[in-house]
Amino acid sequence: MSQRNAPPATAEELRAAILEQYESLSKRLKQIARYVLDEPSAVALETVAVLAERTGVQPSAIVRFAKHFGFDGASQMQRLFVDGLLGSAQQGYGERVREFSRAVDNKAVGDPGQVLSEFVEGNSLALQNLGKMIGRDELARAVKLLVQAETVFIAGFRRSFPVAAYLAYSLHQADKRTVLVDGIGGMAVQQAHALSPRDLLVTVSYHPYAEESVQLVHAAVERGCRVLAISDSLVSPVAKPATQVLQVREAEIRKFRSLSASMCLAQALVISYAFATGGAAPAKKGRKK
């Protein structure tokens, strides 16, 4: 009989093990892994049947996932996440979002004021969650990457483009050498041909992940360039190869996904960079006449 490795002792240890082994997992186990990483409170509170439904697998796959990481069964794995919730009355972000979405979807679209209220509430949830998902140390490491880079290349395509454009504009205003990779004419990789180990690629990409972003990240890694990824999952194709990942969970209201949390994060990065380098915040720089 083969001896099974000892299971992780904490939720953080399990998270690290999942990230380390993710690429070697089967398709079904990858689906579960992503959910475990993105929805830890749901993993703690829901039954195996509910977890299976939400991840699109059979309940036996949840048990198989737990055993893969050394647990006797799913309940032993879930206890790691329960420990982190003991003594806390706070409901997980994912569950609050689901409740909000159910309430919105059950209403007919009314006047524009109602629509505005729905977007305000949904984005407020996402912004509150952002402050809990990204710790001080993570943000400090990301700012350090910006400070150390000789040139910052920034890429974001389709839905992610506004965030990338804002970052490029604001960092330029903060006197950082910045290149916006806009991919005009399908030339995204060619626009970033000057990437070197002294530079940093910042890529913003969310599911279903623009192919241009994925190609850029791999090209940057091949050239020894560091990568800061802003994405919705720690195991997305732009996050896995990255030097640093900042995870953002945006609001989705009536099937429209927002960018409020991403813009807030971009502002925090730029202002933190400006103060870290002793420069004035971009908003306080005088306009040329």
Side-chain angles (χ1 to χ4, degrees):
M1 271 177 80
S2 61
Q3 188 174 5
R4 195 165 62 207
N5 293 330
T10 65
E12 188 59 33
E13 286 184 14
L14 175 57
R15 175 178 173 274
I18 291 172
L19 290 172
E20 182 181 356
Q21 299 180 40
Y22 182 79
E23 293 303 331
S24 65
L25 299 177
S26 67
K27 180 182 177 182
R28 290 283 181 265
L29 294 191
K30 281 181 178 178
Q31 289 174 230
I32 301 167
R34 178 164 180 163
Y35 191 83
V36 170
L37 291 171
D38 292 348
E39 300 282 3
S41 58
V43 175
L45 300 173
E46 298 294 357
T47 65
V48 171
V50 171
L51 295 178
E53 181 183 355
R54 290 183 179 173
T55 53
V57 302
Q58 293 297 317
S60 59
I62 304 290
V63 177
R64 190 165 70 251
F65 177 86
K67 289 185 174 180
H68 176 87
F69 288 96
F71 298 100
D72 293 330
S75 60
Q76 186 187 12
M77 176 184 71
Q78 288 177 288
R79 276 198 294 272
L80 294 185
F81 297 98
V82 171
D83 291 344
L85 294 178
L86 287 177
S88 172
Q90 187 175 33
Q91 189 181 27
Y93 171 72
E95 191 56 42
R96 284 185 290 142
V97 167
R98 277 185 284 273
E99 286 188 3
F100 168 73
S101 297
R102 281 194 291 267
V104 168
D105 291 343
N106 287 333
K107 293 179 186 174
V109 177
D111 61 83
Q114 175 198 320
V115 175
L116 176 60
S117 295
E118 292 172 357
F119 273 83
V120 168
E121 184 176 352
N123 283 310
S124 294
L125 285 173
L127 287 167
Q128 291 168 23
N129 185 59
L130 177 68
K132 296 166 188 168
M133 289 189 73
I134 300 179
R136 290 174 178 266
D137 291 343
E138 286 179 279
L139 201 58
R141 286 193 295 269
V143 173
K144 187 176 180 180
L145 287 173
L146 291 172
V147 171
Q148 292 177 337
E150 186 173 285
T151 302
V152 178
F153 290 77
I154 302 176
F157 303 97
R158 293 182 278 286
R159 171 178 167 244
S160 304
F161 181 78
V163 184
Y166 172 81
L167 272 170
Y169 168 77
S170 298
L171 283 173
H172 177 74
Q173 290 294 96
D175 296 325
K176 185 67 181 182
R177 185 185 296 173
T178 307
V179 175
L180 176 62
V181 182
D182 56 26
I184 291 178
M187 299 286 285
V189 175
Q190 289 82 354
Q191 286 179 319
H193 75 281
L195 279 167
S196 79
R198 300 184 301 276
D199 303 322
L200 173 70
L201 172 66
V202 179
T203 183
V204 187
S205 188
Y206 306 108
H207 189 268
Y209 312 110
E211 185 59 33
E212 300 96 320
S213 292
V214 178
Q215 291 174 354
L216 274 174
V217 169
H218 287 293
V221 171
E222 286 176 3
R223 295 175 189 180
C225 177
R226 287 173 293 183
V227 176
L228 171 61
I230 298 174
S231 189
D232 53 3
S233 174
L234 298 175
V235 291
S236 73
V238 298
K240 279 295 290 178
T243 312
Q244 171 79 23
V245 183
L246 296 177
Q247 187 180 14
V248 180
R249 304 286 299 283
E250 288 288 2
E252 183 171 329
I253 301 101
R254 296 190 181 276
K255 309 303 180 186
F256 287 91
R257 287 181 293 173
S258 180
L259 286 173
S260 296
S262 300
M263 284 296 192
C264 182
L265 175 60
Q267 289 174 321
L269 284 171
V270 172
I271 299 301
S272 297
Y273 166 81
F275 283 106
T277 54
K284 293 187 177 182
K285 294 185 75 170
R287 266 194 327 191
K288 292 182 180 178
K289 301 195 175 180

